[in-house]
């Protein structure tokens, strides 16, 4: 887990990078498809607005969850919820959506920082296409998954509009958070991951002393861990080459 204070700073740093990204979006960019199934650039921003609204007013989540199940019965509940949230803002102009994002997310960040510990310990059911059903605490949502989600969606949009992901010091913190999750879930032989490029570093995954190093591009690997990549990320292995498969096919909830 990331502490509430550190998570507040992490979310704030991530949101600061969104300011520039949103300012650069053109009307033509708004409708470009992304790797997220059936979602355009604009859909992702609208989805994130709904997330901010639900952190500021938590009862909206339960209300929308019920409505989403009726609106999209063919989708998994979490997917239906996200689709429903994005659709709520479909009637807004591009500028309205961007202004709402820039207004609501700083508010949501502050609200999450001020949530009492008792509330943060509350849990609710969630689901993932790779892990099935599990329970999350509000603390995990605030401090782990929302920074991770904002980061990955920023890369989704950057790729859709053909620009590299802007990276800074906080990106390394997101990467470290994801790799801690991977380590906690790892059940195979220990391995050293050498992640290259922006926000990269060297990480030991699994219990024991690794005798194999797997080198991968940082951003491509995180996309692979999230399940977004169509094919496993390219890996260079020193040691046991059979370790490439479990490393590149591993998944972490995003």
């Amino acid at each position: 887990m990331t502490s509430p204070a550190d998570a507040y700073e992490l979310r704030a740093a991530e949101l600061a990078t969104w300011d520039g990204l949103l300012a650069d979006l053109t009307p033509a960019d708004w409708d470009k498809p992304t790797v997220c199934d059936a979602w355009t650039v604009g859909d992702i921003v609208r989805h994130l607005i709904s997330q901010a609204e639900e952190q500021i007013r938590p009862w909206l989540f339960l209300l929308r969850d019920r409505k989403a199940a009726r609106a999209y019965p063919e989708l998994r509940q979490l997917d239906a919820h996200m689709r429903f949230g994005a659709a709520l803002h479909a009637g807004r102009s591009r500028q309205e959506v961007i202004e709402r994002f820039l207004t609501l997310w700083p508010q949501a960040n502050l609200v999450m920082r001020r949530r009492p510990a008792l509330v943060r310990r509350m849990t609710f059911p969630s689901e993932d296409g790779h892990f099935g059903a599990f329970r999350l605490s509000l603390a995990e949502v605030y401090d782990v998954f929302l920074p991770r989600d904002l980061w990955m969606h920023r890369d989704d949009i950057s790729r859709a509009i053909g620009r590299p992901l802007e990276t800074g010091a906080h990106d390394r913190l997101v990467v470290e958070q994801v790799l801690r999750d991977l380590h906690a879930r790892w059940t195979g032989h220990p391995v050293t991951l050498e992640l290259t490029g922006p926000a990269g570093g060297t990480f030991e995954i699994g219990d024991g002393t690794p005798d194999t190093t797997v080198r991968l591009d940082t951003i491509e690997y995180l996309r692979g861990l999230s399940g977004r990549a169509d094919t496993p990320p390219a890996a260079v292995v020193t040691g046991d080459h059979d370790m490439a498969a479990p490393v590149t096919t591993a998944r972490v909830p995003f």
Side-chain angles (χ1 to χ4, degrees):
M1 288 291 293
T2 303
S3 74
D6 288 344
Y8 172 80
E9 297 297 338
L10 176 56
R11 291 188 302 263
E14 175 59 25
L15 291 170
T17 65
W18 276 86
D19 291 356
L21 176 62
L22 294 174
D24 289 343
L25 292 178
T26 67
D29 290 333
W30 200 243
D31 295 320
K32 287 181 178 177
T34 70
V35 298
C36 302
D37 291 344
W39 280 32
T40 64
V41 167
D43 289 330
I44 287 179
V45 183
R46 287 186 282 265
H47 150 64
L48 292 172
I49 287 175
S50 287
Q51 280 195 334
E53 292 172 335
E54 290 166 4
Q55 310 320 313
I56 297 170
R57 301 177 181 85
W59 59 88
L60 288 177
F61 184 93
L62 295 176
L63 181 64
R64 290 172 177 176
D65 216 35
R66 291 193 292 269
K67 292 181 177 180
R70 294 194 294 268
Y72 303 99
E74 74 282 4
L75 298 179
R76 291 186 304 127
Q77 184 61 38
L78 184 59
D79 292 336
H81 186 102
M82 294 187 293
R83 185 74 60 86
F84 183 81
L88 287 174
H89 301 284
R92 298 182 187 274
S93 70
R94 178 176 63 90
Q95 193 56 41
E96 285 177 318
V97 170
I98 290 174
E99 289 175 359
R100 194 162 180 81
F101 183 105
L102 297 176
T103 299
L104 289 179
W105 263 106
Q107 295 177 23
N109 193 24
L110 189 58
V111 166
M112 287 185 275
R113 175 67 180 90
R114 292 175 173 174
R115 284 275 189 258
L118 182 63
V119 174
R120 289 168 55 84
R121 287 196 293 269
M122 293 174 60
T123 65
F124 61 94
S126 186
E127 60 180 327
D128 181 271
H130 302 288
F131 297 98
F134 56 97
R135 295 193 71 83
L136 282 176
S137 68
L138 282 178
E140 289 174 299
V141 172
Y142 295 162
D143 303 342
V144 176
F145 287 97
L146 284 179
R148 188 179 298 180
D149 192 51
L150 283 163
W151 186 89
M152 185 59 73
H153 278 318
R154 182 162 59 89
D155 189 52
D156 291 333
I157 290 178
S158 297
R159 287 170 183 258
I161 65 175
R163 59 178 280 179
L165 181 70
E166 178 185 340
T167 56
H170 83 282
D171 295 78
R172 173 60 185 264
L173 299 178
V174 175
V175 173
E176 290 175 352
Q177 192 184 71
V178 173
L179 269 291
R180 285 197 297 271
D181 234 359
L182 177 63
H183 173 76
R185 297 168 186 276
W186 192 259
T187 58
H189 294 293
V191 61
T192 297
L193 299 184
E194 187 177 306
L195 302 186
T196 63
T202 301
F203 305 87
E204 291 188 358
I205 304 300
D207 297 326
T209 303
D211 58 8
T212 296
T213 298
V214 181
R215 186 180 301 111
L216 308 106
D217 177 82
T218 303
I219 296 173
E220 295 302 326
Y221 188 47
L222 262 65
R223 293 189 68 81
L225 289 173
S226 75
R228 277 169 165 78
D230 292 330
T231 58
V236 177
V237 180
T238 302
D240 183 358
H241 285 258
D242 289 340
M243 289 300 298
V247 167
T248 58
T249 59
R251 295 291 180 265
V252 171
F254 269 75

